[in-house]
Amino acid sequence: MEILAFGVQADERPLIEKAFAPHHDTRCLDVFLNEDTAPIAAGYEIISTSVNASLNNRVLQTLAAGGTQMIAQRSTGFNNIDLQVAERLGLTVARVSYYSPYSVAEFAWTLATAVNRRIVRASNRTRDFDFRLDGLMGRDLRGRTAGVLGTGKIGEAFTRIAHGFGMNLLGWDVAENPACAALGMKYVEKEQLFAESDLISLHVPLLPATHHLIDASALRTMKDDAILVNSSRGGLIDTDALVSELRVGRFTGVGLDVYEAEAGLFFLDKSLEAVEDDTLARLVTFPNVVVTSHQAYYTVDAVSQIIDTTVQNVLDYQAGRRSENVLVPAAPRS
């Protein structure tokens, strides 16, 4: 059987082909799955998709009509999939429920330190042989407060690094993580975390309850010189509200690896096209903002784990096995 994989990056392709080789042939495409590309999947029982795929009603209808029965998504997040439609159509949908949390946590810290110490601005200057220090002053993180929203596996890894920096730790989550508490983390209401934190990092999933978790009110509550980092999902931040605060000179720095309207932009080369997204165009002009294109997970360790799990999800489907990675069909209620 041949597996069709959408949205495969050049670095991913040899890893995917090698992982599937003992079991199946693979056809890797660099295009993302959406309404325009869904017909390509006709005749493929099993397809694999990336986090930027659009699996809405029309796409799922096209897949089912073409004979697709199983979708193996190569990501943890699944807010891009209409699970109710998938279940109604009898499709099996699986995701990767776990991969290296260190990849994302370490990248979140890369963003935090980059905006704190003005690394991008300094690098751009030195390329022009401008070695002035004006405007490059950062600050020590030791003794300051890190606020971590979401203290699961990635949040815990981020917290351990913050502890290594010698920072005070505040956390917010629906349930406390004993490992974070053991490091000295104090769990508080999110409003207190916003008000007292010098560095705020987001590590919660995007759900209806967390959409625009960082809204205009939350942003106004934060310190004027706070650092805000988002390496989770773009929809956690009201970007228009963030731009409004940046325009009046607030925040030491903002590091964003995700953006709420990233679909159709991130992972693609848009350098020769006019930018139609006015909010993103404005966002990247601020000297204290660093935007990257959803690459926090992109280490050989994490991607290898993601691919290995995807292969196992396919094998489980073929053997009729169920695992925690299966989203559809939904697990029976007890």
Side-chain angles (χ1 to χ4, degrees):
M1 179 185 295
E2 186 175 58
I3 310 298
L4 179 62
F6 285 93
V8 177
Q9 303 297 314
D11 298 328
E12 282 184 293
R13 182 167 186 161
L15 298 175
I16 289 176
E17 291 175 341
K18 181 179 179 180
F20 271 106
H23 315 284
H24 298 291
D25 294 329
T26 51
R27 179 187 175 192
C28 294
L29 304 178
D30 58 3
V31 297
F32 298 103
L33 178 61
N34 54 39
E35 293 181 14
D36 294 327
T37 60
I40 300 173
Y44 286 90
E45 178 184 345
I46 302 172
I47 67 166
S48 178
T49 59
S50 65
V51 68
N52 265 23
S54 174
L55 288 147
N56 59 25
N57 180 32
R58 292 184 63 180
V59 170
L60 293 172
Q61 292 275 6
T62 301
L63 293 177
T68 297
Q69 297 180 38
M70 196 266 181
I71 300 166
Q73 177 142 297
R74 304 187 307 278
S75 73
T76 297
F78 53 90
N79 53 286
N80 60 320
I81 307 173
D82 191 327
L83 297 180
Q84 290 184 330
V85 172
E87 187 161 25
R88 176 166 52 81
L89 293 171
L91 297 170
T92 296
V93 180
R95 61 156 178 165
V96 177
S97 59
Y98 174 84
Y99 61 86
S100 169
Y102 310 108
S103 60
V104 179
E106 290 171 6
F107 194 83
W109 270 105
T110 300
L111 290 174
T113 54
V115 296
N116 179 40
R117 301 306 300 268
R118 319 298 190 191
I119 298 299
V120 175
R121 184 187 296 182
S123 177
N124 289 338
R125 281 188 186 178
T126 55
R127 285 177 180 272
D128 293 329
F129 295 94
D130 178 354
F131 300 104
R132 294 171 301 156
L133 297 182
D134 296 345
L136 301 183
M137 184 175 287
R139 54 182 175 170
D140 292 358
L141 293 173
R142 181 177 179 83
R144 288 189 161 86
T145 299
V148 186
L149 290 151
T151 56
K153 292 181 176 67
I154 297 173
E156 178 186 331
F158 184 92
T159 299
R160 291 187 181 279
I161 299 172
H163 182 261
F165 270 97
M167 300 187 75
N168 303 313
L169 305 172
L170 295 180
W172 176 83
D173 208 328
V174 293
E176 295 186 10
N177 184 335
C180 292
L183 294 171
M185 174 171 278
K186 178 183 178 183
Y187 280 85
V188 296
E189 295 298 322
K190 61 180 183 295
E191 291 77 16
Q192 182 179 345
L193 185 149
F194 295 149
E196 298 181 7
S197 297
D198 300 291
L199 165 62
I200 296 171
S201 191
L202 308 182
H203 301 288
V204 297
L206 180 59
L207 303 167
T210 59
H211 181 255
H212 284 183
L213 180 68
I214 306 300
D215 58 9
S217 176
L219 291 164
R220 288 193 297 268
T221 305
M222 295 176 190
K223 296 181 178 181
D224 288 342
D225 60 354
I227 294 171
L228 175 63
V229 174
N230 186 12
S231 58
S232 185
R233 287 292 181 270
L236 298 175
I237 295 179
D238 182 338
T239 316
D240 289 329
L242 176 61
V243 168
S244 295
E245 296 301 312
L246 289 165
R247 288 181 63 184
V248 296
R250 299 194 63 222
F251 305 129
T252 289
V254 175
L256 303 175
D257 185 52
V258 288
Y259 173 60
E260 60 181 325
E262 69 183 54
L265 291 172
F266 282 18
F267 303 154
L268 300 172
D269 182 2
K270 297 289 186 178
S271 60
L272 299 179
E273 301 178 22
V275 178
E276 297 180 358
D277 189 323
D278 292 338
T279 301
L280 180 61
R282 186 70 180 93
L283 190 63
V284 298
T285 65
F286 293 105
N288 58 334
V289 174
V290 172
V291 178
T292 52
S293 55
H294 208 141
Q295 70 182 79
Y297 77 99
Y298 207 54
T299 67
V300 65
D301 311 87
V303 172
S304 295
Q305 285 181 288
I306 289 168
I307 292 170
D308 288 344
T309 301
T310 300
V311 171
Q312 188 59 53
N313 287 342
V314 169
L315 297 178
D316 286 346
Y317 159 77
Q318 292 182 307
R321 295 187 294 262
R322 294 286 300 278
S323 74
E324 63 178 355
N325 296 325
V326 176
L327 299 169
V328 173
R333 295 181 180 179
S334 56

